[in-house]
Amino acid sequence: MAPVPISPINVGHIDDVQELRKARPATIPERFVRDMTERPTPATALQSPNTVPIIDFSRLVRGNKDEYESEMLQLTRACEEWGFFQVINHGIDLSLLESIEKVAEDFFVLPLEEKQKYPMLPGTVQGYGQAFVFSEDQKLDWCNMFALGLEPHFIRVPKLWPAKPLKFSETVEVYSGEVRKLCQHLLEYIAMTLNLRADFFEEMFGVAVQAIRMNYYPPCARPDLVLGLSPHSDGSALTVLQQGKGGSVGLQILKDNKWMPIQPAPNAFVINIGDTLEVLTNGKYKSVEHRAVTHKEKDRLSIVTFYAPSYEIELGPIPELVDENNPCKYRTYNHGEYSKHYVTSKLQGKKTLEFAKVESKKPT
Ligand SMILES: COC(=O)C(/C=C/C1=C(C)CCCC1(C)C)=C/O[C@H]1C=C(C)C(=O)O1
Ligand SMILES: O=C(O)CCC(=O)C(=O)O
Ligand SMILES: [Fe+2]
């Protein structure tokens, strides 16, 4: 008997949102219209746009004793209470931030046929398209994505690196090298806020996995009905997000059970703690749920770097961070398996982290 083909995932037809925007249909296609409970919150019900803590990186690196100590306190508070912070004076050349934004914009404005030379196939996470779609009846995000695995090199898929715009690959390489160093330094300071050795994470992570994802959100005639990106927490250890200049305010985080918009500080990166740090710190530092909303007239671009341990490592709560007041909440698992679980599950709040939770003991 002929081998039975493994059934491909049937995701149905996925409309490209930039093309939809150009066609301006009279109504938003049903697959993008969210159920009432999922729709963006009316502005009046949002948490006021309180700014997430701002960390002045230059004060950590070369501040005097007082500056260093107050910045470290701020960093601790950010990781414990917010799971999000913005980093200013990060030392990465602003011209590089402009260049990555420019090549990303130039990529997204290419004709659809050109972008579709690099398809993100159903069930995969690299290339151009929509990730995390696994069925025909799943709601779609009002977003076009382009994602590439970067480090270690074996996760690269060379045929997905675009030929146009000409400077795309070169710019991604230089930018990612700088963001990688920033992640390494931030993790050193984060380790020290936990009374761990500065090189603790660097040593544990091995050759860290790094990926880049560019998200483009065209304007939407009915931003009240759709989501730019479904609520989720990131599977990474750290995520570094650059928001395009002049775009709408689109990122929202779940703070005290209410959605709060994040107003980007000029030339800053938004950093968030991913699931992996939540597990390693036994929940002391939180990976916070976030989503993106769209705007009636403005588009928005975000350039996101995921930084995570090598797939080989086994991880679980750091023993120093577990005690009778903070009992072990997560099991030990292989990070490669978690990554696989993450990229094969739909974005659904913090659901993917259930993979790592220790089953709660039933009262006897
Ligand atoms: C669309 O992709 C993602 O959202 C994403 C995937 C990142 C990855 C690649 C694009 C290439 C292969 C590596 C990796 C899975 C990291 C999110 O990344 C999160 C999820 C995990 C797990 C993680 O480490 O970052
Ligand atoms: O575009 C944004 O602001 C959010 C992006 C994001 O959360 C992600 O890519 O994981
Ligand atoms: Fe995210």
Side-chain angles (χ1 to χ4, degrees):
M1 205 171 69
V4 183
I6 300 166
S7 80
I9 303 167
N10 184 10
V11 297
H13 174 73
I14 298 184
D15 278 316
D16 181 282
V17 284
Q18 282 170 270
E19 299 303 311
L20 263 184
R21 170 71 186 167
K22 283 184 207 154
R24 290 178 188 262
T27 53
I28 304 290
E30 205 45 41
R31 262 191 104 180
F32 292 91
V33 177
R34 297 285 172 156
D35 297 339
M36 291 303 277
T37 53
E38 287 185 337
R39 291 185 188 173
T41 325
T44 46
L46 286 171
Q47 189 84 277
S48 56
N50 195 342
T51 46
V52 297
I54 302 226
I55 306 296
D56 184 339
F57 190 67
S58 67
R59 284 173 160 231
L60 289 174
V61 180
R62 45 178 182 277
N64 61 33
K65 189 169 174 290
D66 285 352
E67 287 167 341
Y68 171 81
E69 280 171 2
S70 80
E71 225 52 39
M72 285 293 273
L73 270 182
Q74 182 81 329
L75 180 61
T76 313
R77 189 175 76 88
C79 296
E80 271 180 5
E81 293 171 23
W82 290 82
F84 267 82
F85 54 93
Q86 302 203 47
V87 171
I88 57 167
N89 298 325
H90 41 70
I92 302 185
D93 229 330
L94 297 184
S95 64
L96 190 52
L97 271 53
E98 281 164 16
S99 305
I100 194 77
E101 210 176 299
K102 172 90 173 71
V103 292
E105 272 166 17
D106 290 352
F107 176 79
F108 283 110
V109 297
L110 288 172
L112 182 62
E113 309 82 73
E114 184 65 30
K115 292 181 281 189
Q116 283 180 335
K117 289 181 183 165
Y118 313 100
M120 184 186 283
L121 299 173
T124 70
V125 286
Q126 301 200 44
Y128 176 74
Q130 285 229 5
F132 308 107
V133 184
F134 300 99
S135 75
E136 248 181 314
D137 48 34
Q138 192 180 329
K139 293 290 177 189
L140 298 174
D141 291 334
W142 195 264
C143 175
N144 282 337
M145 291 177 173
F146 183 70
L148 291 173
L150 300 168
E151 300 291 344
H153 277 221
F154 74 81
I155 71 169
R156 293 186 177 204
V157 183
K159 64 174 190 248
L160 294 179
W161 286 61
K164 290 182 195 165
L166 281 180
K167 293 247 160 137
F168 189 94
S169 302
E170 180 189 326
T171 310
V172 164
E173 295 282 16
V174 179
Y175 177 81
S176 301
E178 292 300 306
V179 173
R180 190 172 181 86
K181 284 187 256 169
L182 179 65
C183 289
Q184 288 163 345
H185 290 308
L186 283 171
L187 282 171
E188 285 174 8
Y189 292 107
I190 291 175
M192 289 189 282
T193 63
L194 295 162
N195 295 321
L196 300 168
R197 279 194 338 270
D199 62 357
F200 182 90
F201 293 118
E202 181 68 2
E203 204 163 87
M204 164 188 257
F205 282 14
V207 180
V209 169
Q210 186 177 348
I212 190 166
R213 178 161 98 198
M214 297 164 175
N215 303 307
Y216 179 71
Y217 309 94
C220 179
R222 292 295 306 271
D224 54 323
L225 300 182
V226 309
L227 284 177
L229 190 58
S230 305
H232 65 283
S233 61
D234 293 340
S236 50
L238 273 190
T239 301
V240 176
L241 183 142
Q242 177 182 335
Q243 311 203 53
K245 280 214 170 82
S248 59
V249 175
L251 174 64
Q252 300 186 339
I253 67 171
L254 196 60
K255 176 82 176 144
D256 305 327
N257 243 357
K258 275 189 166 179
W259 290 103
M260 177 190 283
I262 302 293
Q263 184 78 49
N267 303 319
F269 286 115
V270 175
I271 312 287
N272 63 289
I273 303 289
D275 297 343
T276 303
L277 272 192
E278 172 162 335
V279 170
L280 287 168
T281 63
N282 197 30
K284 184 172 163 68
Y285 290 174
K286 306 235 165 20
S287 106
V288 164
E289 200 173 322
H290 52 286
R291 68 180 185 183
V293 297
T294 63
H295 190 274
K296 211 169 162 63
E297 276 110 34
K298 285 187 178 178
D299 62 357
R300 178 165 178 271
L301 173 73
S302 64
I303 298 160
V304 182
T305 298
F306 301 107
Y307 187 84
S310 153
Y311 289 143
E312 279 119 65
I313 79 147
E314 305 292 312
L315 63 84
I318 298 165
E320 290 88 328
L321 302 176
V322 178
D323 58 35
E324 56 284 11
N325 296 321
N326 193 17
C328 190
K329 297 190 180 78
Y330 305 98
R331 63 188 179 90
T332 296
Y333 58 85
N334 168 266
H335 181 66
E337 272 170 30
Y338 185 62
S339 298
K340 198 159 136 202
H341 170 73
Y342 188 95
V343 299
T344 53
S345 310
K346 62 177 189 173
L347 296 179
Q348 217 180 346
K350 294 198 62 168
K351 194 144 191 288
T352 38
L353 199 52
E354 278 167 26
F355 172 97
K357 287 210 173 119
V358 169
E359 275 183 41
S360 57
K361 283 207 187 86
K362 299 212 169 64
T364 45

